C-alpha cells in the first residue's frame, strides 16, 4: 500500500521578483495571486515559478488591520491575508479584508464609514418570490447597476486580482444584513454580509464607529428596540387601566345629608354617615351645595374615615359666591357648590367628618353706622361697628346649611386619556427619531423617493 501523500502546507515563503522581499503565503494551495507588501507588485503564485504580473512602486497604504493579524469572530480564529480598497468608480470608497482559516475557508471584513460587516460568499443563488429571498427572509433593493472597481490591493487572494478591475454590482438589504451580487463577463457571484457589533471588532484591535453617518444601508434603527418594548409596555399599561376601570365598577350615590350653618359664624363640625363603599377600589366624590350662600364663603374640611382601620382621606375646599352692582351693571362671581374627589378608595364602612365655618363678606369701603354685625369679615363675631349688609346666615329664601352627597364614581375617562398621553409621549419621540434615522438611511439608496420639480 502506497504511503499517503503529505498534507499541503498551510503557509510557505517566497521572494518577490520585483523587490526581493520575503513573502509568506498563508493559504498555500488556495492562493492564486499575492500583492507584495513591500512594493505592491502583483505576483502569480498558482505555479511553482512565481511570476510578476504587475509592478507598482507606490508606498503600501497603512492598514487598519495589518496583514497577518489574527482575531476570533463567532468562535473561529481568522487571519487577515489580503486587503482591497474599492470604490464606486473612484467615489464612495470602502475597504475589504480577506480572512482565512484552513478549516473554514475565506470570509471578508468590510469597512464602510467606520462600520464593519462580516461577509461570506454564497454557494446558493437567492430565490425570487415577489422579491429577493434568502433563508426565508425577504431583502429590499438598495443599490442597483453599480460598478465597483479595485483601487488598491495588497496581500494574497484566491483569484487573480488587479488594480482597476471592475464588476457590476447590485445590493439588497434587511436590518443587519446586506445581500450583494457581483458580475463580470465571466461569472456571477453572490455574498451575504452581516453588520458586526462594534465590540466584536476589538478582536482585531479595531475601534469601530457605532453611529456611522449617514447610516449604513443594512444598519438597523437603534430606536426600533425601544419602540417594540415601548409598545409592549404601552399595551400592558392600557390593559391595566381598562382593568382598573372594570374593577372599579359603576358609580352612584351612597349617602346624602345636611349640616346646619351657625348664624354667628362659629367653627362647626358634623359627623355624617355611616355609609358603605361596595367595590374593592372606587373613586369617591363628595359634593357640597350651600343654596343660601350670598356675598360670603364657607371654608370646609373633609375627612373620609374608614371605621375598620381609622384611615382617613382628607381634603379642604371652599364655596364662595359674590354679587353686586356697579357702573357697568350687575355682576356675580363664584359658586355655591364645591366638592372633593378621592381615587381608589377601598371598600368598607365610612364616616364623613366635616368641619366648616360660614363667613359674610362686607365691603370695607362702605360707610360705617352704629350697628353691630356679629361674625363680620374682620372678626368673625363681636360688636365691631360695621356697615349694614344682608347676612345670608340669618334667614332668607333658603335654610343656611350644607347639603352634602357622597357618590362613588366610574373610572374617569380623563384619567384614561391622561394615561394614554403619558404613554404616547416617549413612544412618539422614539417614533420620530426612528423615522429620521430611516429617512437618512434610505436617502443613500438608488430607490429613495425623488421629489419632482413641482414638489420642490
Amino acid at each position: 500500500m502506497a504511503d499517503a501523500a503529505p498534507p499541503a502546507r498551510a503557509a510557505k515563503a517566497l521572494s518577490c521578483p520585483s523587490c526581493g522581499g520575503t513573502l509568506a503565503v498563508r493559504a498555500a494551495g488556495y492562493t492564486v495571486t499575492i500583492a507584495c507588501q513591500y512594493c505592491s507588485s502583483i505576483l502569480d503564485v498558482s505555479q511553482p515559478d512565481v511570476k510578476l504580473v504587475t509592478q507598482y512602486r507606490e508606498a503600501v497604504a497603512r492598514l487598519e488591520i495589518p496583514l497577518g493579524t489574527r482575531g476570533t469572530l463567532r468562535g473561529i480564529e481568522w487571519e487577515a491575508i489580503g486587503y482591497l480598497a474599492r470604490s464606486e468608480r473612484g467615489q464612495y470608497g470602502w475597504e475589504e479584508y480577506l480572512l482565512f482559516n484552513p478549516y473554514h475557508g475565506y470570509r471578508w471584513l468590510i469597512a464602510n464609514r467606520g462600520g464593519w460587516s462580516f461577509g461570506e460568499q454564497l454557494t446558493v443563488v437567492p430565490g425570487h418570490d415577489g422579491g429577493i429571498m434568502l433563508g426565508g427572509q425577504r431583502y429590499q433593493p438598495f443599490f442597483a447597476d453599480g460598478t465597483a472597481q479595485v483601487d488598491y490591493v495588497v496581500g494574497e487572494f484566491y483569484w487573480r486580482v488587479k488594480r482597476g478591475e471592475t464588476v457590476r454590482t447590485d445590493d439588497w438589504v434587511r436590518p443587519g444584513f446586506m445581500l450583494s451580487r457581483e458580475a463580470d463577463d465571466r461569472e456571477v457571484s453572490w455574498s451575504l454580509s452581516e453588520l458586526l457589533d462594534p465590540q466584536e471588532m476589538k478582536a482585531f484591535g479595531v475601534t469601530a464607529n457605532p453611529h456611522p453617518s449617514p447610516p449604513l444601508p443594512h444598519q438597523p434603527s437603534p430606536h426600533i428596540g425601544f419602540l417594540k418594548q415601548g409598545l409592549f409596555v404601552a399595551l400592558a399599561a392600557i390593559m391595566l387601566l381598562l382593568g382598573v376601570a372594570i374593577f372599579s365598577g359603576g358609580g352612584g350615590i351612597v349617602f346624602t345629608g345636611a349640616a346646619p350653618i351657625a348664624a354667628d359664624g362659629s367653627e362647626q363640625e358634623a359627623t355624617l354617615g355611616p355609609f358603605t363603599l361596595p367595590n374593592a377600589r372606587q373613586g369617591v366624590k363628595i359634593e357640597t351645595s350651600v343654596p343660601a350662600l350670598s356675598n360670603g364663603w364657607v371654608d370646609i374640611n373633609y375627612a373620609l374615615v374608614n371605621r375598620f382601620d381609622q384611615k382617613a382621606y382628607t381634603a379642604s375646599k371652599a364655596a364662595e359666591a359674590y354679587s353686586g352692582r356697579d357702573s357697568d351693571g350687575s355682576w356675580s362671581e363664584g359658586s355655591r357648590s364645591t366638592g372633593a374627589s378621592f381615587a381608589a378608595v377601598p371598600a368598607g364602612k365610612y364616616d364623613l367628618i366635616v368641619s366648616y365655618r360660614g363667613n359674610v363678606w362686607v365691603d370695607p369701603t362702605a360707610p360705617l353706622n352704629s350697628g353691630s354685625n356679629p361674625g363680620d369679615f374682620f372678626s368673625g363675631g363681636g360688636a365691631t361697628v360695621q356697615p349694614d349688609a344682608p347676612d345670608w346666615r340669618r334667614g332668607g329664601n333658603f335654610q343656611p346649611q350644607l347639603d352634602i352627597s357622597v357618590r362613588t364614581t366610574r373610572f374617569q375617562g380623563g384619567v384614561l386619556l391622561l394615561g394614554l398621553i403619558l404613554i404616547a409621549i416617549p413612544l412618539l419621540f422614539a417614533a420620530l427619531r426612528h423615522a429620521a434615522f430611516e429617512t437618512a438611511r434610505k436617502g443613500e439608496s438608488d430607490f429613495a423617493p425623488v421629489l419632482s420639480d413641482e414638489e420642490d
Side-chain angles (χ1 to χ4, degrees):
M1 181 175 179
D3 294 337
R9 290 180 296 170
K12 69 177 183 179
L14 53 85
S15 297
C16 175
S18 176
C19 67
T22 301
L23 306 177
V25 183
R26 297 172 178 83
Y30 302 94
T31 297
V32 176
T33 61
I34 184 171
C36 176
Q37 65 190 60
Y38 305 106
C39 67
S40 299
S41 298
I42 305 298
L43 312 178
D44 185 342
V45 296
S46 61
Q47 302 298 325
D49 296 330
V50 177
K51 297 180 181 179
L52 178 64
V53 178
T54 307
Q55 182 175 354
Y56 296 116
R57 294 296 184 183
E58 302 173 2
V60 177
R62 184 183 298 252
L63 303 183
E64 193 165 4
I65 302 177
L67 299 188
T69 300
R70 294 185 178 186
T72 300
L73 286 176
R74 310 297 164 84
I76 299 173
E77 185 181 60
W78 302 94
E79 182 177 2
I81 65 172
Y83 167 83
L84 293 176
R86 305 179 77 186
S87 66
E88 177 73 18
R89 293 188 179 277
Q91 297 181 319
Y92 313 111
W94 69 93
E95 298 173 301
E96 300 179 1
Y97 289 85
L98 181 61
L99 306 181
F100 178 72
N101 178 286
Y103 301 102
H104 298 275
Y106 295 97
R107 298 293 188 274
W108 290 95
L109 275 180
I110 305 157
N112 190 3
R113 296 198 292 272
W116 292 80
S117 300
F118 189 49
E120 177 182 8
Q121 188 166 340
L122 299 178
T123 57
V124 296
V125 176
H128 294 265
D129 183 12
I132 296 295
M133 301 287 294
L134 179 67
Q137 299 289 339
R138 185 178 301 275
Y139 289 74
Q140 301 297 324
F142 202 89
F143 293 128
D145 301 323
T147 301
Q149 72 179 32
V150 176
D151 298 323
Y152 192 81
V153 57
V154 65
E156 54 188 275
F157 300 88
Y158 55 86
W159 80 98
R160 290 181 173 84
V161 61
K162 62 181 179 179
R163 188 165 67 173
E165 73 176 16
T166 61
V167 291
R168 300 183 300 277
T169 61
D170 300 279
D171 299 283
W172 295 261
V173 300
R174 70 179 181 89
F177 296 87
M178 174 179 280
L179 182 63
S180 301
R181 176 183 181 274
E182 295 188 357
D184 58 18
D185 296 335
R186 301 181 303 276
E187 63 178 353
V188 176
S189 63
W190 290 84
S191 62
L192 179 66
S193 56
E194 180 181 358
L195 189 66
L196 291 173
D197 187 282
Q199 297 297 321
E200 294 183 276
M201 287 307 299
K202 291 183 178 180
F204 285 90
V206 172
T207 301
N209 179 10
H211 305 292
S213 181
L216 299 178
H218 55 315
Q219 184 176 348
S221 169
H223 313 292
I224 195 67
F226 177 85
L227 273 176
K228 289 181 178 179
Q229 293 179 0
L231 288 173
F232 176 79
V233 172
L235 180 60
I238 291 171
M239 295 298 294
L240 177 62
L241 290 174
L242 292 177
V244 171
I246 296 172
F247 191 56
S248 64
I253 294 177
V254 295
F255 175 81
T256 58
I261 298 175
D264 61 358
S266 59
E267 187 79 24
Q268 297 173 265
E269 182 175 285
T271 299
L272 306 176
F275 49 86
T276 300
L277 300 181
N279 301 313
R281 293 281 177 177
Q282 60 256 291
V284 175
K285 186 173 184 180
I286 303 171
E287 298 174 328
T288 301
S289 175
V290 190
L293 184 60
S294 177
N295 284 324
W297 73 98
V298 182
D299 295 313
I300 309 172
N301 297 307
Y302 301 102
L304 185 61
V305 182
N306 189 315
R307 284 194 168 189
F308 174 73
D309 57 13
Q310 296 302 302
K311 183 175 181 179
Y313 300 84
T314 62
S316 297
K317 297 293 181 178
E320 49 187 328
Y322 309 97
S323 62
R325 186 175 182 83
D326 56 22
S327 58
D328 295 325
S330 298
W331 58 269
S332 63
E333 62 181 34
S335 173
R336 295 183 176 90
S337 299
T338 187
S341 297
F342 305 96
V345 180
K349 185 171 287 188
Y350 286 81
D351 290 313
L352 177 62
I353 301 175
V354 184
S355 58
Y356 57 99
R357 174 182 172 179
N359 302 277
V360 174
W361 177 79
V362 178
D363 185 357
T365 64
L368 299 180
N369 60 25
S370 59
S372 64
N373 186 1
D376 61 62
F377 174 83
F378 300 97
S379 63
T384 305
V385 177
Q386 294 296 328
D388 290 328
D391 188 338
W392 62 272
R393 300 167 302 182
R394 297 177 179 276
N397 296 329
F398 300 97
Q399 183 71 23
Q401 65 182 26
L402 305 181
D403 293 330
I404 298 175
S405 65
V406 180
R407 67 171 62 240
T408 58
T409 60
R410 297 179 183 272
F411 185 77
Q412 298 297 313
V415 175
L416 177 60
L417 179 60
L418 178 61
L420 293 177
I421 292 174
L422 293 177
I423 293 170
I425 288 175
L427 289 178
L428 179 60
F429 182 68
L432 291 174
R433 296 189 68 183
H434 171 70
F437 177 91
E438 286 296 289
T439 299
R441 183 184 68 84
K442 293 179 180 179
E444 298 289 295
S445 173
D446 293 330
F447 298 89
V450 178
L451 295 176
S452 65
D453 293 339
E454 290 78 5
E455 294 174 314
D456 291 341

